[in-house]
Amino acid sequence: MARRPPNEQANYVISVAAELAGVHPQTLRVYERKGLVQPQRTQGNSRRYSEQDIELLRKIQELTDEGINLAGVTRILQLETDLSRAKARLERAAQQLQTAQEQLQIVSTRSSLVPLRDIRRIRRAMKSDALDSASKPRVFVAPPVTPIDQ
Amino acid sequence: MARRPPNEQANYVISVAAELAGVHPQTLRVYERKGLVQPQRTQGNSRRYSEQDIELLRKIQELTDEGINLAGVTRILQLETDLSRAKARLERAAQQLQTAQEQLQIVSTRSSLVPLRDIRRIRRAMKSDALDSASKPRVFVAPPVTPIDQ
DNA sequence: TTGCTCCTCACGTCACGTGAGGTGGC
DNA sequence: TTGCTCCTCACGTCACGTGAGGTGGC
């Protein structure tokens, strides 16, 4: 796929666009009147179709070839946009989920611990907070772990 | 919504179904011939429409009222199924993601630690495995934590 | 018998595509 | 001037809905 500028150039006059899309020029005028395709206009009021317009026209052609009328085409184009958006979001959520689960796997086999040399500072803090015995700091030995590579 | 058995009862004769869906009985015969709705049949070969059939008929009616033809309706129904399936999966993935991230939050502020009383057993194990000094077990103090509630 | 069901055939309506016809600017 | 563009109008075709007409079983 060629890269395109944000505001794509509209290079094709109606006869060429019609040829590229495999339809009659008059059909393109009808589609425009119905709001299916909005080509740009030259200063002289001639239509100019972009590459994206051509793609859209081909998509419309594909659907009408299946006997779908223009009301249906409009709805289907919208639904397909929604669907591909939902699929993209799903893809992204699945990626994030996998990342989170991998991190969970890593983190749950290691610990965010306080080194023994800090024990006095911690005990002091705990004491001043007057915690019950269940909340007293406990001493553990952490098994060796591999570092987090974030 | 009323609960329904897996094989839903088909209670409505064609005239009632047509009335419920707001269409002509003949239209329902046309829809069946085109494969849009498949009502059950009695032994005497009469059509019997289920509650789900009625819902489908109403949906079709909604679309045709917008000027969409039956080819379009068929495609749209398929797309809407796809879309709602994708959305359900997205919803589920988002839920799982949230759960994973919450767990990550919890786990990363606590530790899967070994109590101090096990230190000798661990040190013995470490020794026998002939690990390098970086992998030697270290002694930590864990700050008090709230239990994981799964 | 009545009122439904089944089916097929036919026709009115409408959307769509496209041709005709006349205009105007590179 | 030629060949495009613009537009509107009109018509052929086809899908759809539905009415008619004849059948048969609760």
Side-chain angles (χ1 to χ4, degrees), chain B residues 20-45:
Chain B
L20 290 172
V23 296
H24 197 281
Q26 200 64 296
T27 303
L28 298 194
R29 298 190 179 100
V30 173
Y31 285 178
E32 185 179 3
R33 204 181 319 138
K34 302 219 173 188
L36 278 158
V37 187
Q38 280 104 18
Q40 294 180 28
R41 296 276 186 156
T42 63
Q43 289 199 333
N45 202 35

Side-chain angles (χ1 to χ4, degrees), chain A residues 7-118:
Chain A
N7 263 330
E8 195 178 13
Q9 285 195 351
N11 296 320
Y12 305 114
V13 300
I14 194 167
S15 56
V16 176
E19 196 180 322
L20 290 171
V23 296
H24 196 281
Q26 200 63 296
T27 305
L28 299 194
R29 298 192 179 100
V30 173
Y31 286 179
E32 186 179 1
R33 207 182 317 138
K34 301 218 175 189
L36 278 159
V37 187
Q38 282 103 19
Q40 294 180 31
R41 295 278 186 154
T42 64
Q43 290 197 334
N45 204 34
S46 286
R47 295 170 178 82
R48 285 298 141 87
Y49 292 82
S50 69
E51 204 67 64
Q52 284 184 352
D53 289 332
I54 304 297
E55 274 180 44
L56 177 57
L57 287 171
R58 287 201 178 116
K59 180 73 197 165
I60 294 169
Q61 191 58 13
E62 196 183 305
L63 293 171
T64 54
D65 280 350
E66 295 176 34
I68 296 166
N69 68 3
L70 300 185
V73 168
T74 306
R75 181 76 158 247
I76 287 164
L77 291 175
Q78 184 56 58
L79 273 171
E80 288 188 343
T81 304
D82 293 353
L83 185 59
S84 64
R85 196 170 295 162
K87 280 182 174 172
R89 286 201 290 162
L90 178 60
E91 182 64 30
R92 199 164 136 267
Q95 278 286 356
Q96 288 180 308
L97 180 60
Q98 198 186 336
T99 302
Q101 283 174 338
E102 283 167 2
Q103 286 182 333
L104 199 56
Q105 186 66 24
I106 292 164
V107 171
S108 65
T109 59
R110 70 168 55 229
S111 50
S112 62
L113 295 182
V114 180
L116 184 59
R117 62 180 179 277
D118 291 347

